[in-house]
Amino acid sequence: MTIAITHLARRFADFRALDDVSLSIAPGEFIALLGPSGSGKTTLLRILAGLDFPDSGELTQDGRDLLRVGARDRGVGLVFQHYALFRHMTVFENVAFGLRVRPRARRPSKAEIADRVDKLLKRVQLEGMAGRYPSQLSGGQRQRVALARALATEPDLLLLDEPFGALDAQVRVTLRRWLRHLHEEMNLTTVFVTHDQEEALELADRVVVMSQGRIEQVGTPDEIYQQPATPFVFEFIGKSNKLPVRIQNGRLHAGDQRFDADGLDGIADGSGVAYVRPEHLALTPTPLESGWRATLRHIYLSGSVAHVELDVPALGQTLEVELGGEESQRRSLQSGMSITVQPRHLTVFPLAGNSGEPDITRRRVVHPRYGQAALARWR
Ligand code: ATP
């Protein structure tokens, strides 16, 4: 069951909620749609569910045109952020609902329905609660009922829209791990909407990063974090430092530094913007000819990670560095100390000549070359 989304567009008046979106979803995949509020995630999910329709583009399932198939016949299970359980029905009745309302010819027998609901309640760890009403359940339990209800009709595709958004942080973490197990155990194909990057990176096989109705990048969680394709993804996922740079004769200039570097082949001279993750900056107290001089402004520990903020006069900005907490203690890092900082690698987007915007088609990962004597090492 492969779902192909091809050049989908959806406008609301003049506003482009989806703009040329293409994506293929393979059987058994867990896909997270991740993006800020208003990026088009829910619109895409609603189109998959048959609750909304695109202005143009195609949606097929194994070659079959899904846009001609009504919502009830698409074989999708839906769970929303707000429980939307039937309040006047017990847990059992809620889960059985989708089966009981089927036309007689496709409706399982009473005994079969009871058996299926029992099994599902076990799966979502709610056995013994079949007789309760939604008001007698916690938020996390209600969402598990909503999930069991969505699964009762054995959907080909499970669609979840911020299903844990209304729950507290601890319950969210427990439920998302549980959901991932359930997805694997039941061989589901799942599309999960979230604006929480941690949730997306932990849960999904592939993450689809969306912004302003467009897909910025599709990749495994590792690819999305380690190799962001656009400035938006760098700024939206994880932390990064952004620096203005110049490329000249295959060298990278930033502040008062000129780095001999690998990775700039074929890039014409000009300005650019570089991104560097906090963990890709190396520190040493020794003044070195390669690297920016900086003053340690602030350091704090968060769990096992030390976050260091540096003032870098040559760049006219601060840089954020992360290193292991134990390492930072061994090095006795303190506010006010003088430090050399070197990027291990950076991602550079040359600016496009006409628009002055970062050109994502000329993205380069740049590795500065440091001689042995000029390599930042803590001695
Ligand atoms: P959130 O995380 O806030 O739910 P989202 O990424 O799911 O955001 P969508 O709900 O898909 O975003 O909305 C995308 C854009 O389309 C938003 O700017 C929204 O205001 C607009 N939009 C969505 N539905 C409609 C509608 N029925 N009429 C007009 N505009 C709409």
Side-chain angles (χ1 to χ4, degrees):
M1 195 246 3
T2 299
I3 292 185
I5 298 165
T6 319
H7 301 305
L8 277 197
R10 176 72 170 113
R11 282 171 178 272
F12 296 107
D14 275 348
F15 184 80
R16 287 178 197 211
L18 290 179
D19 185 7
D20 196 18
V21 166
S22 297
L23 177 71
S24 170
I25 303 169
E29 262 198 306
F30 197 125
I31 298 272
L33 302 180
L34 173 67
S37 184
S39 54
K41 310 178 295 288
T42 298
T43 304
L44 182 54
L45 202 79
R46 287 172 53 81
I47 291 176
L48 285 171
L51 302 175
D52 192 12
F53 289 87
D55 299 313
S56 56
E58 288 175 16
L59 176 64
T60 60
Q61 179 178 345
D62 294 332
R64 181 174 72 130
D65 182 0
L66 270 189
L67 295 175
R68 291 173 176 276
V69 179
R72 294 188 65 173
D73 300 317
R74 285 218 188 158
V76 296
L78 265 171
V79 180
F80 294 104
Q81 173 170 350
H82 294 291
Y83 318 115
L85 294 179
F86 303 116
R87 284 188 304 177
H88 60 288
M89 289 186 192
T90 62
V91 165
F92 182 94
E93 289 162 344
N94 263 286
V95 176
F97 181 80
L99 297 170
R100 284 180 171 170
V101 296
R102 276 188 177 170
R104 192 174 290 276
R106 290 198 293 126
R107 194 185 312 156
S109 70
K110 267 189 171 173
E112 279 165 344
I113 293 179
D115 185 52
R116 208 184 285 182
V117 173
D118 274 353
K119 284 189 177 132
L120 272 169
L121 289 179
K122 272 203 193 84
R123 278 227 188 258
V124 300
Q125 297 163 358
L126 288 174
E127 59 262 70
M129 299 206 184
R132 290 207 194 172
Y133 286 89
S135 61
Q136 297 170 314
L137 301 174
S138 72
Q141 289 168 336
R142 278 183 225 165
Q143 277 312 63
R144 283 186 274 147
V145 176
L147 208 71
R149 190 177 63 175
L151 293 171
T153 53
E154 298 178 335
D156 291 332
L157 183 64
L158 182 63
L159 303 175
L160 307 157
D161 194 351
E162 303 255 5
F164 309 140
L167 307 174
D168 70 49
Q170 192 82 47
V171 178
R172 273 178 94 118
V173 172
T174 315
L175 275 191
R176 71 184 185 225
R177 300 212 167 129
W178 168 86
L179 174 66
R180 178 71 220 195
H181 286 305
L182 192 78
H183 165 89
E184 279 160 23
E185 270 171 33
M186 296 185 74
N187 287 322
L188 300 170
T189 305
T190 305
V191 179
F192 184 98
V193 163
T194 180
H195 62 260
D196 179 336
Q197 50 171 292
E198 212 180 291
E199 198 161 79
L201 295 178
E202 180 175 331
L203 268 173
D205 298 315
R206 283 193 305 153
V207 178
V208 178
V209 183
M210 297 187 66
S211 162
Q212 300 184 347
R214 298 186 70 94
I215 293 182
E216 290 274 328
Q217 186 172 4
V218 181
T220 63
D222 192 53
E223 284 163 353
I224 295 284
Y225 184 83
Q226 299 292 349
Q227 302 157 43
T230 69
F232 175 85
V233 180
F234 255 111
E235 289 174 30
F236 188 65
I237 309 275
K239 289 186 185 167
S240 56
N241 297 285
K242 179 181 176 185
L243 331 168
V245 295
R246 259 181 327 109
I247 298 130
Q248 217 172 349
N249 300 327
R251 291 193 172 118
L252 189 72
H253 297 246
D256 60 350
Q257 293 297 308
R258 189 188 65 189
F259 299 103
D260 287 331
D262 293 321
L264 285 169
D265 307 341
I267 299 290
D269 290 357
S271 300
V273 56
Y275 288 86
V276 55
R277 294 273 190 217
E279 65 271 29
H280 297 149
L281 287 168
L283 302 178
T284 175
T286 321
L288 295 172
E289 64 191 52
S290 222
W292 302 289
R293 289 305 285 166
T295 307
L296 198 157
R297 182 207 279 203
H298 181 55
I299 174 165
Y300 70 93
L301 269 177
S302 153
S304 57
V305 179
H307 302 267
V308 183
E309 247 178 73
L310 302 175
D311 275 326
V312 187
L315 290 171
Q317 67 180 78
T318 57
L319 289 179
E320 205 171 324
V321 182
E322 280 177 9
L323 62 163
E326 283 180 19
E327 206 179 336
S328 80
Q329 275 166 356
R330 241 190 358 260
R331 295 172 178 186
S332 330
L333 291 177
Q334 281 164 12
S335 306
M337 69 194 285
S338 207
I339 267 182
T340 302
V341 53
Q342 286 180 345
R344 288 286 178 247
H345 56 86
L346 322 88
T347 302
V348 174
F349 298 93
L351 301 186
N354 44 4
S355 65
E357 293 292 316
D359 178 356
I360 59 172
T361 65
R362 291 191 296 152
R363 168 189 180 280
R364 290 287 191 281
V365 178
V366 175
H367 294 264
R369 286 194 297 264
Y370 303 105
Q372 277 306 306
L375 189 63
R377 264 186 295 230
W378 207 276
R379 280 179 258 268

